[in-house]
Amino acid sequence: MERCLLLAGLGEGYTAPNPLVGAVLVHEGRIIGEGYHQQYGGPHAEVNCLQSVKYADRSLIPFSTLYVSLEPCVHHGKTPPCTDLIIREKIPRVVVGCRDPFREVNGKGIEKLLAYEIEVEYPVLEELSKEMNRRFLTFHQENRPYIVLKWAQSANHKITGNTGNRIHISSDYSNRIVHKWRSQEAGILVGTNTALLDNPELTTRLWEGKNPVRIVLDQKLRLPDSLKIFNGEENTIILNDLSDLSAGKILFKKVNDEKPGIQGILSTLHSLNILSVLVEGGAKLLESFISSGTWDELRIITNNELNIPEGISAPDFHDAKHLKSETYGTDTIAYYKHSMGD
């Protein structure tokens, strides 16, 4: 199962809104096949695993155990059900990391395997399996995207100055790490002021990986189309209060007004199948997520050698469990998880 989870992680950033899944086929202690879900719409982990079995080992499949980090699917989606494949290949035993909370599965895959007299063992390494798919589980269990908050601050806890001019706080190395974070999430969100003042591209140009969907909160549609977010090069969602309109890769989407504030934003993004979001500020938007209690991870980059006099203070946060800190040159990156209810 540890090998399954290692394989599953290789799909990070490419499978959303599908989960990360790894599969390993074992015959008498020897791995004869393995695979993982590589990209959304592509073959699932179980399919890639069985396809990897060498011709000489094909006859061993009906005498082997299949390990899979998430319950095999039982419904027709982009691909056929993996339970049908397992049944067809006459695999006698399946070991599952954790159940799939998606309403079309959620125990039904295990039930179908048992109905065909296939031995099923679960859960195995359940907490690690759930951690691997924390985005997927949050999306389906809480009906909202998984939220990662991020900001960079000076040594005196300022995220920008009062002049309106952009200040580069984090180092080049830290910026590359941020672009890696971007590649791991389905979407990236900024507010109107950040889009207007920083004119960001919101891409992974400093890291090899898939660009997230660019999401901008522009309630009154006051942002000029000269900004980089309107260049039409990447999928972009403009959340607003006025208009639903699609133009190429740019979607103008009215926020669900049946739910207030952040809840309306999250509900709208959930309806658009955005599995996870990296929120990059500014202060007002970040504080809205913190005060609403709807966030899952927090990552703060602190430049220990920079002080910004009379700048805008970084948000205060609470209900946070410190996970670790890493220092790279002038910068320290602190990682937190939302601890409410723990």
Side-chain angles (χ1 to χ4, degrees), residues 160-161 163-168 175 182 197-200 205:
T160 189
T163 62
N165 295 324
R166 185 178 184 184
I167 298 176
H168 293 280
N175 286 336
R182 290 179 178 182
L197 298 176
D198 293 351
N199 192 18
R205 60 194 179 278

Side-chain angles (χ1 to χ4, degrees), residues 23-215:
V24 174
L25 189 66
V26 179
H27 177 264
E28 295 183 354
R30 180 171 68 92
I31 293 176
I32 62 173
E34 61 181 28
Y36 66 97
H37 185 33
Q38 299 179 12
Q39 62 181 13
Y40 175 66
H44 288 188
E46 297 92 329
V47 175
N48 287 329
C49 174
L50 288 165
Q51 287 180 347
S52 75
V53 178
K54 294 179 180 179
Y55 179 79
D57 290 332
R58 295 291 304 175
S59 62
L60 302 178
I61 293 177
F63 307 97
S64 301
T65 296
L66 177 67
Y67 293 80
V68 59
S69 58
L70 188 70
E71 177 183 6
C73 64
V74 71
H75 67 292
H76 284 268
K78 294 285 186 180
T79 59
C82 290
T83 49
D84 289 357
L85 174 64
I86 294 168
I87 293 165
R88 188 167 62 250
E89 292 284 354
K90 296 182 172 58
I91 297 172
R93 182 169 181 262
V94 178
V95 180
V96 176
C98 66
R99 281 174 55 154
D100 185 337
F102 181 47
R103 64 181 181 275
E104 299 292 336
V105 186
N106 199 12
K108 297 175 184 176
I110 292 171
E111 290 174 3
K112 185 169 185 178
L113 294 176
L114 291 172
Y116 278 81
E117 299 184 348
I118 294 172
E119 180 186 349
V120 179
E121 181 182 351
Y122 83 97
V124 174
L125 297 185
E126 183 177 26
E127 292 307 311
L128 289 175
S129 298
K130 287 182 175 180
E131 175 65 17
M132 173 62 65
N133 273 308
R134 59 194 183 278
R135 300 170 178 87
F136 183 76
L137 269 64
T138 296
F139 185 84
H140 289 287
Q141 292 174 337
E142 300 188 27
N143 295 314
R144 65 167 177 84
Y146 188 88
I147 299 298
V148 180
L149 306 180
K150 167 264 171 183
W151 69 77
Q153 63 183 22
S154 63
N156 62 332
H157 296 178
K158 305 296 182 181
I159 62 172
T160 189
N162 283 330
T163 62
N165 295 324
R166 185 178 184 184
I167 298 176
H168 293 280
I169 296 176
S170 50
S171 67
D172 289 343
Y173 189 84
S174 295
N175 286 336
R176 287 181 60 84
I177 293 176
V178 171
H179 283 227
K180 178 183 178 181
W181 295 345
R182 290 179 178 182
S183 74
Q184 295 169 338
E185 310 305 335
I188 179 171
L189 172 64
V190 297
T192 308
N193 288 337
T194 298
L196 192 61
L197 298 176
D198 293 351
N199 192 18
E201 292 183 49
L202 304 180
T203 63
T204 59
R205 60 194 179 278
L206 300 180
W207 188 267
E208 183 177 351
K210 184 179 179 181
N211 285 316
V213 175
R214 303 185 291 196
I215 308 165

Side-chain angles (χ1 to χ4, degrees), residues 266-287:
L266 294 176
S267 175
T268 303
L269 293 176
H270 184 269
S271 72
L272 294 172
N273 245 8
I274 303 297
L275 191 74
S276 63
V277 177
L278 177 65
V279 182
E280 289 206 14
K284 183 178 179 181
L285 185 59
L286 289 164
E287 287 168 353

